[in-house]
Amino acid sequence: IIQPNPSYGTFVIETNLTEKQHIQIIDINGEIVLSTTITGTTSIDAGNLSEGVYTINIVNNNSIANKRLVIVK
C-alpha cells in the first residue's frame, strides 16, 4: 500500500513482508529517479521529484509489484 496517493512528495510504503525489498521510482520517460532498499513499512521522501505520475517497482525474492504514484505540488 502506498499512501497518501496523490502525494506532495513524502509517502509511506506499507508492506507485510519483513525481508529487504528493492524499490525503484520510474518517471514517465522510463528513467529511474529514485532507487533504494526498504524493510517493512518505510517512509520515502521524494520531495525533489517533479509533479507527475510515477511507477514504483517493488522487488523482493519472490515477486515484483508495480504501483502508480501521483505527485502534486
Side-chain angles (χ1 to χ4, degrees):
I1 297 174
I2 297 173
Q3 61 183 0
N5 194 5
S7 168
Y8 293 100
T10 301
F11 60 94
V12 174
I13 297 178
E14 289 185 32
T15 176
N16 56 2
L17 297 176
T18 56
E19 65 192 51
K20 287 185 179 180
Q21 299 176 87
H22 186 73
I23 67 161
Q24 295 177 325
I25 300 178
I26 302 167
D27 69 12
I28 199 161
N29 298 317
E31 301 286 327
I32 298 172
V33 294
L34 192 144
S35 181
T36 190
T37 300
I38 64 169
T39 304
T41 298
T42 304
S43 179
I44 305 290
D45 181 5
N48 61 326
L49 298 180
S50 300
E51 185 173 75
V53 178
Y54 295 85
T55 300
I56 300 179
N57 293 335
I58 305 169
V59 182
N60 63 36
N61 292 337
N62 302 319
S63 65
I64 299 173
N66 296 307
K67 303 290 184 183
R68 198 176 85 160
L69 172 69
V70 178
I71 294 182
V72 294
K73 299 288 180 172

